[in-house]
Amino acid sequence: MSKPIDRTHKERRTGLRFMLTYVKPHRSTFMLIFICTLLGISADLLQPYLVKIVIDDVLTKPGHDIRLLFVIGGSYIGLSVLSFVFTYVQDNLLQHVGQNIVVRIRKDLFRHISNLSMSFFDRRPLGALVTNVSSDTETVNQFFTNISLSLMRDGITLLLIIAMMLKLDAVLALYSMILIPVIAGIAIGFRPMLRKTYEQTRLQLSRLISFLAENLAGMNIIQVFHQEKKQLDKYTKLNRLNLEVNFTKHRTTIYFNRTFEFLGNLALAFLVWAGGMAVFNHSLEVGVLFAFITYIRQFFQPIIQITQQWDKLQSATVSMDRLWQVFSIRPEVMDPRLENRKDIVLSDIKGRVDFENVCFGYTDGIDVISNLNLQIKSGEIIGIVGETGAGKSSILNMLGRFYDIRSGSIRIDGIDIRDIPQATLHRIIGFVQQDPHLYSGSILENVRLFNSAIPREEVIQACKFVGLDPFLQRLNQGYDTQLSERGGGLSAGERQLLSLARIVVYQPKLLILDEATAHLDSHTEQMVQNALQHLTTGRTTLVVAHRISTIIDADRIMVMKQGRIVEVGSHQELLARRGYYAMLYKQSLGKNEKKDSVAVSKEKGEGSVLVTC
Ligand SMILES: Nc1ncnc2c1ncn2[C@@H]1O[C@H](COP(=O)(O)OP(=O)(O)O)[C@@H](O)[C@H]1O
Ligand SMILES: [Mg+2]
């Protein structure tokens, strides 16, 4: 049931055809819905015919049989009940299938987006994705539960009415049909206009949501830089545009619908005139005229319905196309093909890492990392230093395979990381970032990442180990405190401790730290350093340090400049070389001296300088 749909050979399909792949498993239910609709409508349309029989065969005929009136009356009620039952069944079935299909699409979409590479998220605004997942799928839901039903029901109604009218009086029926080309012409003429206004409204709404999502996510920056007014102005502008396109859409829709209503009334007037004349001339029975008038009214009803649903269909196809566009994006980072896949036993991983002639860039043409070569022994601790933008984080991103390299290879224990399934790779590597992401949920769940196989006790132990426990003790609900999406309720330092606790719980073979202690005060940082000392023992570790002093104990330090390794060696070796590293170190000492002296003089009121080396 929840098997993802294979899309490899279906890339050229349009949105609508793609959606039909979701309909296929429900074919039999749709068939049942069709039959119920057909029966329901037939029961409805037979009713005016019964009245015709009453008028022509009972009321206007001399010596009429009163019992026939009862029989016909009973049949009329019977038909009403049948129509009710069939419509009820058909409506419920359709809701059931429609909702199920949309649940499935949402699930597939979320899974698909989760598998897309980081480069996709670099390019795609968050809000546009939120629109895709929420409102586009809702429009598709409307399509299945509402639009498709209406199109089917009204289509069948139209055909049956035409059949009934032809049966009653072919000449009058053919006169009524004259209007059909006019109707078709108007519908075709309006089509591009309707489609355009619908695209516009969707586009504006998506822009509005994008703007909102981004601003909510970055509200702190907006406030810090006093950009509230500017952003509000931008929002007001977007809001106004949204309003305008909605007005245009409604105006167009009203024109469209009223035109048809007017046509309907015109047809009715014509029928009353032509039919009335025929009755006077005795060439038409009164009952037939009555049935005709009822049918012609019902004839325009489905046409108006269909055209009203038409614009919804337009927006549904736009949504389907957009969903399809997201679905058709292939992740740049792909899992290995079956024949290349190396199955790895996690416990066998030693943790040797080799970078060989690695070139990498985020955008075409610009290399961020050029020709990187480095062999890291199992259990070795590598410090990475360099100026901002030197490419430190990029190396870690490549190793975690958030991005694929352009050329060369990265191997863990001699296995190319492209041959390791991503899920396995991410179990091998533990990442601690500067701004760890927390999810809505309790602290407990955030540490074990919703993996309930990890016992509570283990989480508590891990938090004690990294020194987070004392902070949590202060909270009313301790480990069960609920965090909001962005980790609200915890300080930046506490969030970082929490992400370290994750590492303790998950015990990855390879540890990657990207400026992981940048948000910590010196006391907490010391605690983290102690915890890290334990964590890094015997575990291959790559540390990007925001302060050189934190990595001087590393086995080797890799010094980076403009995407290249310019020096490698231990702290002492590098200092002795008096090169780029020595200069960076000297600079950082200067910074630390200033920083620490300020801190110390504030706390103790004296000017002694303390630098840990
Ligand atoms: N997602 C991205 N898309 C495009 N360019 C990026 C992206 N991330 C980083 N870069 C660029 O790559 C270069 C190296 O960045 P990074 O590895 O983050 O540096 P560091 O961590 O050493 O400060 C920088 O010039 C940066 O602008
Ligand atoms: Mg960085």
Side-chain angles (χ1 to χ4, degrees):
M1 169 77 192
S2 62
K3 209 173 67 183
I5 289 181
D6 172 31
R7 303 190 181 85
T8 17
H9 301 296
K10 299 176 185 167
E11 298 207 297
R12 255 171 279 129
R13 288 196 167 191
T14 62
L16 185 64
R17 284 178 70 192
F18 157 67
M19 284 299 149
L20 288 181
T21 54
Y22 282 92
V23 172
K24 262 192 194 151
H26 301 282
R27 260 176 307 194
S28 46
T29 320
F30 275 106
M31 200 61 218
L32 201 61
I33 292 169
F34 178 76
I35 293 170
C36 283
T37 314
L38 195 62
L39 293 176
I41 294 169
S42 307
D44 255 347
L45 291 184
L46 279 176
Q47 290 167 11
Y49 196 76
L50 285 183
V51 179
K52 176 227 168 253
I53 297 174
V54 170
I55 295 174
D56 290 343
D57 300 347
V58 183
L59 298 180
T60 54
K61 290 267 157 70
H64 50 251
D65 188 351
I66 198 78
R67 273 175 311 171
L68 197 58
L69 211 55
F70 279 113
V71 173
I72 292 178
S75 311
Y76 197 97
I77 295 171
L79 284 176
S80 302
V81 173
L82 277 182
S83 152
F84 175 84
V85 171
F86 285 127
T87 312
Y88 178 83
V89 174
Q90 153 242 303
D91 252 349
N92 273 303
L93 281 178
L94 196 69
Q95 282 296 330
H96 184 76
V97 187
Q99 302 282 0
N100 268 316
I101 289 176
V102 171
V103 164
R104 175 90 193 273
I105 294 174
R106 283 207 174 122
K107 192 169 146 190
D108 282 357
L109 185 62
F110 190 75
R111 186 193 349 239
H112 178 74
I113 292 175
S114 315
N115 286 333
L116 289 176
S117 314
M118 291 318 287
S119 49
F120 168 78
F121 297 99
D122 287 346
R123 287 190 298 262
R124 192 97 180 178
L126 176 75
L129 277 178
V130 175
T131 318
N132 282 146
V133 182
S134 56
S135 70
D136 282 342
T137 49
E138 184 49 39
T139 317
V140 171
N141 186 14
Q142 286 289 320
F143 170 77
F144 283 118
T145 52
N146 236 325
I147 306 169
S148 64
L149 172 71
S150 165
L151 292 181
M152 178 173 68
R153 187 155 56 194
D154 296 324
I156 296 174
T157 310
L158 261 185
L159 289 179
L160 288 183
I161 288 179
I162 291 175
M164 289 299 260
M165 293 204 301
L166 281 173
K167 184 186 172 306
L168 282 170
D169 190 303
V171 179
L172 211 51
L174 287 176
Y175 272 125
S176 313
M177 301 298 132
I178 293 174
L179 278 175
I180 288 182
V182 181
I183 293 167
I186 292 175
I188 292 168
F190 264 105
R191 215 188 133 175
M193 223 157 94
L194 280 175
R195 197 178 171 96
K196 197 171 144 227
T197 55
Y198 264 89
E199 260 169 34
Q200 283 292 327
T201 47
R202 306 285 305 163
L203 187 73
Q204 285 305 334
L205 186 67
S206 133
R207 282 192 182 147
L208 203 67
I209 296 175
S210 293
F211 186 85
L212 210 61
E214 276 171 29
N215 275 270
L216 290 179
M219 191 50 88
N220 50 352
I221 304 288
I222 294 174
Q223 292 186 350
V224 165
F225 287 96
H226 300 297
Q227 295 294 305
E228 295 97 326
K229 170 96 179 55
K230 233 183 205 157
Q231 295 303 88
L232 181 66
D233 287 348
K234 274 191 198 163
Y235 185 70
T236 314
K237 216 168 174 181
L238 281 175
N239 214 358
R240 179 143 286 282
L241 268 175
N242 190 37
L243 181 81
E244 279 164 14
V245 291
N246 268 304
F247 275 151
T248 314
K249 182 184 99 178
H250 281 289
R251 263 200 308 273
T252 321
T253 317
I254 288 171
Y255 273 138
F256 192 49
N257 293 338
R258 293 297 158 248
T259 311
F260 279 103
E261 247 164 54
F262 181 71
L263 271 179
N265 288 330
L266 218 59
L268 199 66
F270 169 75
L271 193 70
V272 171
W273 173 73
M277 294 296 274
V279 172
F280 280 138
N281 296 336
H282 299 287
S283 58
L284 191 72
E285 286 173 311
V286 186
V288 174
L289 181 61
F290 167 82
F292 237 93
I293 289 176
T294 322
Y295 284 137
I296 205 88
R297 287 185 148 218
Q298 288 188 6
F299 179 70
F300 274 85
Q301 207 53 42
I303 292 181
I304 291 173
Q305 279 293 325
I306 288 177
T307 47
Q308 268 172 355
Q309 296 298 334
W310 189 254
D311 45 12
K312 289 191 188 147
L313 180 71
Q314 301 290 312
S315 79
T317 48
V318 172
S319 284
M320 285 175 187
D321 280 346
R322 261 209 308 243
L323 283 176
W324 170 235
Q325 275 167 22
V326 177
F327 268 122
S328 59
I329 296 169
R330 318 246 91 215
E332 278 169 29
V333 176
M334 297 277 274
D335 259 348
R337 286 167 180 278
L338 215 56
E339 60 267 27
N340 295 339
R341 199 160 117 177
K342 302 278 189 305
D343 284 317
I344 290 172
V345 181
L346 279 179
S347 53
D348 291 349
I349 295 283
K350 299 278 182 302
R352 200 183 83 229
V353 180
D354 299 297
F355 290 88
E356 197 181 308
N357 299 328
V358 172
C359 290
F360 167 73
Y362 294 96
T363 40
D364 289 341
I366 305 163
D367 267 358
V368 168
I369 301 288
S370 2
N371 210 26
L372 178 88
N373 281 292
L374 185 74
Q375 281 77 44
I376 304 171
K377 290 192 280 273
S378 147
E380 201 176 10
I381 300 173
I382 300 282
I384 306 175
V385 295
E387 290 173 340
T388 302
K392 307 181 294 291
S393 302
S394 305
I395 292 190
L396 307 186
N397 286 340
M398 282 155 25
L399 182 57
R401 238 191 133 205
F402 296 121
Y403 299 88
D404 262 345
I405 55 178
R406 287 210 178 123
S407 58
S409 70
I410 302 174
R411 293 188 301 271
I412 295 178
D413 283 9
I415 305 168
D416 195 306
I417 56 170
R418 284 167 293 200
D419 294 339
I420 304 173
Q422 290 174 69
T424 315
L425 184 68
H426 294 147
R427 286 305 305 268
I428 298 174
I429 301 175
F431 237 109
V432 184
Q433 279 159 320
Q434 195 175 11
D435 254 319
H437 186 80
L438 303 187
Y439 298 89
S440 320
S442 68
I443 291 180
L444 179 80
E445 295 300 349
N446 263 289
V447 175
R448 63 181 181 193
L449 291 174
F450 305 93
N451 178 357
S452 46
I454 296 167
R456 186 186 177 91
E457 206 37 53
E458 210 175 309
V459 172
I460 297 178
Q461 282 303 324
C463 290
K464 281 189 175 148
F465 183 72
V466 297
L468 181 63
D469 188 67
F471 296 107
L472 301 184
Q473 294 300 337
R474 284 184 222 151
L475 302 170
N476 276 344
Q477 286 164 320
Y479 285 83
D480 297 312
T481 308
Q482 294 290 319
L483 298 179
S484 64
E485 166 202 8
R486 292 167 63 219
L490 290 187
S491 74
E494 287 160 357
R495 288 209 293 272
Q496 243 160 17
L497 290 178
L498 193 151
S499 74
L500 280 175
R502 277 179 188 161
I503 297 289
V504 178
V505 165
Y506 275 86
Q507 294 284 331
K509 293 288 170 177
L510 246 128
L511 191 56
I512 295 180
L513 301 141
D514 194 355
E515 310 203 359
T517 53
H519 287 320
L520 304 183
D521 57 81
S522 46
H523 170 70
T524 322
E525 184 172 1
Q526 196 49 53
M527 268 179 9
V528 171
Q529 289 295 343
N530 295 342
L532 277 179
Q533 229 157 35
H534 281 93
L535 277 176
T536 52
T537 314
R539 186 171 275 145
T540 312
T541 310
L542 276 86
V543 193
V544 171
H546 71 292
R547 223 178 296 164
I548 293 188
S549 62
T550 56
I551 48 137
I552 52 175
D553 289 332
D555 296 322
R556 270 191 297 166
I557 296 169
M558 191 169 118
V559 189
M560 296 205 56
K561 194 176 182 183
Q562 292 171 0
R564 289 175 190 280
I565 303 179
V566 286
E567 291 171 10
V568 182
S570 72
H571 176 64
Q572 292 305 336
E573 286 165 9
L574 289 174
L575 275 189
R577 204 187 272 192
R578 296 175 182 276
Y580 186 51
Y581 177 80
M583 190 194 82
L584 286 178
Y585 183 62
K586 217 165 126 197
Q587 276 178 358
S588 85
L589 271 189
K591 269 189 219 157
N592 276 359
E593 268 174 32
K594 268 190 219 144
K595 190 174 165 187
D596 287 345
S597 63
V598 171
V600 170
S601 60
K602 264 189 189 161
E603 278 168 22
K604 299 187 180 166
E606 53 191 63
S608 65
V609 175
L610 207 147
V611 180
T612 39
C613 288

